[in-house]
Amino acid sequence: SLTFSALLTSYLLDRSIPEWLSWVTNAALLTVPAAFLAGMLRSRLARAGLADLFRELGGLHGERLQSGLAKSLGDPALVLAYREGDGYRDVHGAALTLPADRAVAPVEREGRELGALVYDPLLDDDPELVQAVSAAAAIALDDERAQAESAATMAELRASRERLAAAGDAERRRLERNLHDEPLLRP
């Protein structure tokens, strides 16, 4: 718009347009639609990557999940931050401070914040894509949490079975000792 304002002002004042201004205007007329189309293409390609992400979602955890999300958004510097108490940790478990120069999208599932996506703020031009990737991350993080809870429950169940078996064996040995040590009763 600045170029066109200069073009109009020049024409109104001098009734002529300098050649350099003509070149700048023509360049703008060519580059703006090209940039728009490049952005649209980037968005389309990213949306196509969502199908792959959702297909692989069950097997992605930690670094592989972060890498898949980054690929889907087209942001190799994307960070998946796990919620932990009042703060966040990265995929390696280190404490993480959310940077001010990056955009942050919460990863929520059923009203619970599971983490956050820290991504390039230029991606805010396509909020639906960011929301879709955030939803995929929420599914994966919730699945990861459910699997960890299931593993903990299974470990607890195994330990409980071992305690019951040990208690049963101890009781059996006690009964054997009592039977062995008691004098035979004769009528």
Side-chain angles (χ1 to χ4, degrees):
S1 69
L2 183 62
T3 307
F4 293 109
S5 298
L7 185 69
L8 182 60
T9 304
S10 175
Y11 183 75
L12 289 175
L13 294 176
D14 286 344
R15 295 281 183 218
S16 67
I17 300 172
E19 187 174 338
W20 68 269
L21 188 55
S22 179
W23 278 98
V24 170
T25 304
N26 288 335
L29 285 172
L30 294 174
T31 57
V32 169
F36 177 76
L37 289 174
M40 292 293 290
L41 179 62
R42 177 183 175 195
S43 178
R44 293 278 181 194
L45 291 174
R47 288 176 192 272
L50 279 176
D52 293 336
L53 177 65
F54 277 104
R55 207 173 9 262
E56 298 171 1
L57 207 52
L60 298 178
H61 301 288
E63 256 184 84
R64 290 184 60 221
L65 175 60
Q66 180 174 286
S67 176
L69 296 170
K71 183 180 173 187
S72 293
L73 273 179
D75 179 8
L78 177 130
V79 174
L80 175 60
Y82 290 80
R83 187 67 150 151
E84 190 170 87
D86 291 338
Y88 294 95
R89 63 180 172 84
D90 64 14
V91 295
H92 304 290
L96 180 69
T97 303
L98 301 179
D101 63 334
R102 305 276 289 166
V104 177
V107 176
E108 297 175 333
R109 182 82 187 232
E110 297 173 355
R112 292 176 295 124
E113 185 180 0
L114 304 172
L117 294 178
V118 182
Y119 61 95
D120 185 350
L122 294 175
L123 292 168
D124 283 338
D125 290 340
D126 193 354
E128 293 86 13
L129 177 63
V130 174
Q131 287 174 346
V133 172
S134 178
I139 291 168
L141 292 180
D142 201 34
D143 181 56
E144 195 173 315
R145 179 199 51 79
Q147 286 182 10
E149 285 177 1
S150 176
T153 301
M154 289 300 290
E156 189 178 307
L157 182 61
R158 278 190 210 100
S160 176
R161 283 183 189 164
E162 289 173 6
R163 285 191 305 273
L164 282 172
D169 287 346
E171 184 62 19
R172 181 184 48 79
R173 283 191 299 275
R174 187 187 67 79
L175 287 173
E176 285 175 352
R177 258 191 329 270
N178 286 347
L179 288 174
H180 181 267
D181 292 346
E182 282 187 18
L184 291 174
L185 296 176
R186 296 192 180 142

